[in-house]
Amino acid sequence: MCGIIGYIGAKPAFPILLSGLKRMEYRGYDSFGFRVLDQNKEPFYYKKTGKISLAAPELLTMNVEGNIGHAHTRWATHGGVTDCNAHPHLDCRGGISVVHNGIIENYKDLKEELRREGHLFVSQTDTEVIAHLIEKFFDGNLECAVKKAISYLRGTYGIVVISKDDPNKIVAARSGSPLLIGVGKDEFLVASDPAAVIANTKKVLYLNEGEVATITPENYFIFTERQPHEIEWNVEDVEKGSYPHFMLKEIMEQPNSLQNSLRGRLVVEEGRTQLGGLKSVEERLREIDRMYIVACGTARYAGLVAEYMFEEYAGITTKVDAASEFRYRKSTMDRKSAVLAISQSGETADTLAALRDAKSRGILTLGITNVVDSTQARETDAGVYNHAGPEIGVASTKAFTSQLEVLALMALYLGRQRQLSNVMGQRIAAELAAIPDLVARTLKCDPLVKELAAKYKKCDNMIYLGRKYNYPIAMEGALKIKELAYIHAEGVAAGELKHGPIALIEDGFPVVAICPSDSVYEKMISNIMELKARGAKVLAIATEGNEEIAQIVDDVIYIPKTLEMLTPILSVIPLQLFAYHVAVARGSDVDKPRNLAKSVTVE
Ligand code: AGP
């Protein structure tokens, strides 16, 4: 990938362009080039093979005037490493100048057509085609010509364009290659990397996909070419229908919402996924070795499940932060890191703030959200939609299980990019494909859960216990009963019980133990015995067919067997229903619990 920088402002452009290139040399260093506009004479135009750091001493002796310019350090994609192939590239008349990061896939066809129209090419690059395409549409207004030209491009580009015939501006456009605007004092910079602008300003704004920016010495204007999209929901989706509450409706429609989240994304026989929303960053994802997940509330618990998934199946070190805490971290992120934001609404202020913090550091940003074209969807470099349908109940249910499912798809995607075998991929894909039916089977526990809710509705305190993949589900179950029935509950890692929380246990103390037949089952049984020895009342979530546990605990709700990493999608269902029925029994406003809001758009 190449380094791009543009400058427009009160100071001489050349020294700033030179120091910016030096800071981006790591992005590509087989050649470099400059073009600086000077209203008193011909533009300064210089480009050469070699490293900018080695050429800098000679360059600094050059007397280059003019306060508008751009520069580029190249990592060759099309055309050899030669002075001629270095950027910037010009049009026939030497008026328009382009620097580019990315690959234009249809440049050959465009070049042929432009040649037929009389354009003369001097380089072997794809970038030069952009300069001549802009020339073709140029009628004195540079941004209009750029907007027309980019509509013909296929591939990826981050471009910075200047012209001596419309000299008092810089035009930038991005699709697939990041570009940011640095907002300084009486000056603006445009770059592909924050490292290039940090000496002048820390105030940056990343262009979104498809945006075109016009930057003058006084201000910048961003043009967004956004087409309206078709809302995939129907009016029935936002009505309760025959259900007493949206929350119950949304719990019960999870087989359908989970089917929708999977649609078109699984290739079971090949043990792989296809996630179109990650295509533009596919190669960068192959390189990452650390994933930072940022989210709030229930979405964060989905991230905590993914922490185990990504490490176990993709071998990627994963760290989950409450989005509101992420900004306090001393960043250890680097170019092999990615930040993944998870948000049902795509509008949660804390999550967006964390995302923007990551973007300002030039870190690859990914997102999972349930709302098409939401702020998060527009601000991440790439992402995956849940397609779970509108979630009206304030307490997140179907969005949460959809997040777990999409995260499992991402774990499979990342794993297959790495060492995950075809056989294991097929196993995961087959188990994922069966999830909607297994959830439908799990929902048959509703009458039993409603009965049990009557037994627990007078509790003031509860502990939820889980280990490994189900520890986050213990926290999610506790959150559900808190936010719906206003019962104080705590999700505890079962191994942590004896390090303090067990002091709370007394005769009749209610504990929910998530205890499927998985790799930590025996340890969970030991914890349950410790609880029973102290008089606790234990409600277990266990795997169908496990008769042993029914002899040990007070109540059992069974879930079907599945892959350990997918059990959270099933084990959370009884906990959603349990919280719902306890809340109804206690007279809470289930769809609008006190003090809460569906989308927390304030920090
Ligand atoms: C979920 O039951 C809660 N209402 C809350 O924790 C929610 O998950 C959190 O506010 C995050 O919302 P988001 O997914 O829209 O970002």
Side-chain angles (χ1 to χ4, degrees):
M1 64 232 108
C2 309
I4 290 180
I5 179 169
Y7 178 84
I8 185 166
K11 303 183 189 111
F14 185 63
I16 292 169
L17 297 175
L18 176 54
S19 62
L21 278 199
K22 283 163 65 180
R23 287 200 187 86
M24 288 190 289
E25 192 164 35
Y26 75 94
R27 292 176 65 98
Y29 35 79
D30 54 46
S31 56
F32 61 86
F34 302 83
R35 187 157 166 91
V36 179
L37 302 182
D38 178 343
Q39 54 262 41
N40 304 321
K41 56 189 177 196
E42 271 306 293
F44 170 76
Y45 182 40
Y46 182 90
K47 56 187 192 175
K48 197 155 182 49
T49 55
K51 289 189 169 63
I52 185 75
S53 48
L54 300 179
E58 181 201 348
L59 291 166
L60 283 169
T61 63
M62 297 178 182
N63 176 27
V64 181
E65 291 175 12
N67 59 8
I68 300 170
H70 61 183
H72 182 275
T73 180
R74 185 174 184 235
W75 184 78
T77 56
H78 293 72
V81 179
T82 63
D83 294 355
C84 179
N85 286 337
H87 301 209
H89 287 285
L90 310 183
D91 67 338
C92 301
R93 299 172 41 257
I96 291 165
S97 171
V98 177
V99 292
H100 166 227
N101 181 21
I103 291 176
I104 304 304
E105 292 162 2
N106 62 332
Y107 84 97
K108 286 201 174 81
D109 298 343
L110 291 170
K111 193 167 184 174
E112 282 314 307
E113 190 178 330
L114 288 162
R115 273 204 175 108
R116 282 196 295 274
E117 293 169 3
H119 290 262
L120 298 175
F121 289 84
V122 297
S123 83
Q124 305 155 300
T125 67
D126 55 340
T127 303
E128 191 184 1
V129 167
I130 303 174
H132 292 277
L133 206 50
I134 296 169
E135 178 186 22
K136 173 178 175 173
F137 298 112
F138 186 70
D139 62 0
N141 180 298
L142 188 58
E143 61 267 30
C144 287
V146 170
K147 284 176 201 165
K148 284 184 188 142
I150 58 176
S151 67
Y152 287 79
L153 301 181
R154 263 207 337 274
T156 58
Y157 56 82
I159 55 173
V160 174
V161 188
I162 57 177
S163 166
K164 68 177 182 176
D165 304 318
D166 189 3
N168 218 14
K169 66 180 71 166
I170 291 179
V171 179
R174 111 164 238 181
S175 178
S177 296
L179 267 185
L180 58 90
I181 298 174
V183 182
K185 187 172 174 352
D186 303 327
E187 62 185 15
F188 295 95
L189 295 91
V190 193
S192 51
D193 187 318
V197 307
I198 197 129
N200 295 67
T201 179
K202 287 192 171 187
K203 280 168 65 182
V204 297
L205 166 108
Y206 273 84
L207 287 188
N208 287 328
E209 282 297 293
E211 290 187 334
V212 178
T214 303
I215 304 128
T216 67
E218 297 74 35
N219 208 339
Y220 61 87
F221 308 87
I222 294 179
F223 173 86
T224 300
E225 181 78 74
R226 286 171 57 206
Q227 301 303 326
H229 70 266
E230 193 72 21
I231 293 178
E232 56 190 22
W233 304 341
N234 305 309
V235 68
E236 301 74 49
D237 293 327
V238 290
E239 287 171 354
K240 281 187 286 197
S242 59
Y243 289 98
H245 299 101
F246 277 109
M247 182 180 173
L248 185 59
K249 172 173 178 273
E250 288 154 9
I251 290 173
M252 290 301 176
E253 64 188 13
Q254 288 181 103
N256 185 43
S257 55
L258 287 162
Q259 192 61 54
N260 290 336
S261 299
L262 284 178
R263 198 176 308 285
R265 293 172 165 173
L266 269 182
V267 187
V268 178
E269 56 286 358
E270 295 174 18
R272 62 182 181 83
T273 65
Q274 35 198 39
L275 297 173
L278 300 182
K279 184 107 185 73
S280 65
V281 296
E282 186 174 5
E283 290 318 310
R284 284 192 68 181
L285 285 176
R286 225 181 271 283
E287 307 305 317
I288 65 163
D289 61 11
R290 267 182 296 163
M291 183 76 81
Y292 293 79
I293 297 177
V294 294
C296 302
T298 290
R300 181 169 75 89
Y301 300 142
L304 287 168
V305 174
E307 189 170 353
Y308 293 100
M309 290 178 177
F310 289 177
E311 294 187 344
E312 180 166 3
Y313 291 101
I316 296 176
T317 303
T318 303
K319 180 98 198 61
V320 182
D321 267 322
S324 54
E325 289 295 313
F326 179 75
R327 74 187 70 179
Y328 305 129
R329 265 188 186 293
K330 173 92 183 71
S331 171
T332 56
M333 294 184 285
D334 61 21
R335 300 210 46 79
K336 296 184 79 173
S337 305
V339 167
L340 169 62
I342 306 172
S343 172
Q344 188 284 134
S345 61
E347 304 299 342
T348 299
D350 287 323
T351 307
L352 293 175
L355 200 54
R356 288 162 183 160
D357 177 70
K359 281 184 76 109
S360 70
R361 301 166 197 271
I363 301 298
L364 174 64
T365 56
L366 309 169
I368 296 175
T369 185
N370 192 37
V371 179
V372 174
D373 228 13
S374 58
T375 303
Q376 174 181 297
R378 281 183 283 112
E379 295 195 6
T380 44
D381 293 315
V384 184
Y385 283 122
N386 292 97
H387 297 312
E391 187 174 70
I392 310 299
V394 166
S396 188
T397 51
K398 65 174 183 175
F400 177 65
T401 49
S402 170
Q403 286 163 355
L404 293 175
E405 196 176 60
V406 167
L407 287 160
L409 287 168
M410 286 183 75
L412 178 54
Y413 179 94
L414 295 166
R416 298 288 278 135
Q417 279 190 329
R418 293 162 175 80
Q419 287 74 34
L420 189 68
S421 70
N422 191 20
V423 170
M424 192 60 216
Q426 286 169 337
R427 173 106 194 277
I428 294 171
E431 293 282 350
L432 264 168
I435 280 293
D437 288 344
L438 294 181
V439 166
R441 205 157 100 203
T442 307
L443 285 166
K444 291 186 174 15
C445 72
D446 186 41
L448 168 60
V449 177
K450 189 172 181 178
E451 249 177 67
L452 293 173
K455 281 173 70 176
Y456 289 83
K457 69 178 183 180
K458 293 199 179 335
C459 300
D460 295 321
N461 298 285
M462 295 187 75
I463 279 182
Y464 284 64
L465 278 189
R467 279 179 185 262
K468 200 176 174 189
Y469 281 104
N470 282 291
Y471 167 36
I473 302 306
M475 290 189 275
E476 166 59 8
L479 176 64
K480 284 282 153 305
I481 201 93
K482 260 188 286 218
E483 64 179 344
L484 290 160
Y486 315 141
I487 291 175
H488 177 253
E490 187 182 349
V492 175
E496 280 293 291
L497 190 64
K498 55 188 168 302
H499 298 285
I502 199 165
L504 292 171
I505 304 303
E506 57 191 358
D507 197 42
F509 191 100
V511 176
V512 176
I514 306 163
C515 186
S517 304
D518 60 11
S519 61
V520 291
Y521 173 75
E522 297 303 334
K523 290 213 180 320
M524 282 301 294
I525 290 295
S526 304
N527 294 131
I528 291 171
M529 300 303 275
E530 290 158 13
L531 290 163
K532 290 305 294 173
R534 292 165 176 79
K537 189 159 74 169
V538 179
L539 163 59
I541 310 296
T543 303
E544 286 169 354
N546 177 354
E547 300 302 330
E548 171 201 41
I549 198 162
Q551 312 310 318
I552 302 170
V553 299
D554 301 84
D555 298 290
V556 188
I557 301 171
Y558 286 106
I559 60 175
K561 180 126 187 85
T562 184
L563 206 55
E564 180 164 349
M565 88 167 183
L566 300 179
T567 54
I569 300 174
L570 304 183
S571 61
V572 76
I573 304 282
L575 306 185
Q576 294 172 344
L577 288 167
F578 184 69
Y580 169 78
H581 287 302
V582 171
V584 169
R586 290 169 66 109
S588 299
D589 179 352
V590 170
D591 282 336
K592 289 187 284 299
R594 67 186 183 199
N595 309 335
L596 295 181
K598 183 60 186 170
S599 179
V600 183
T601 55
V602 292
E603 290 186 28

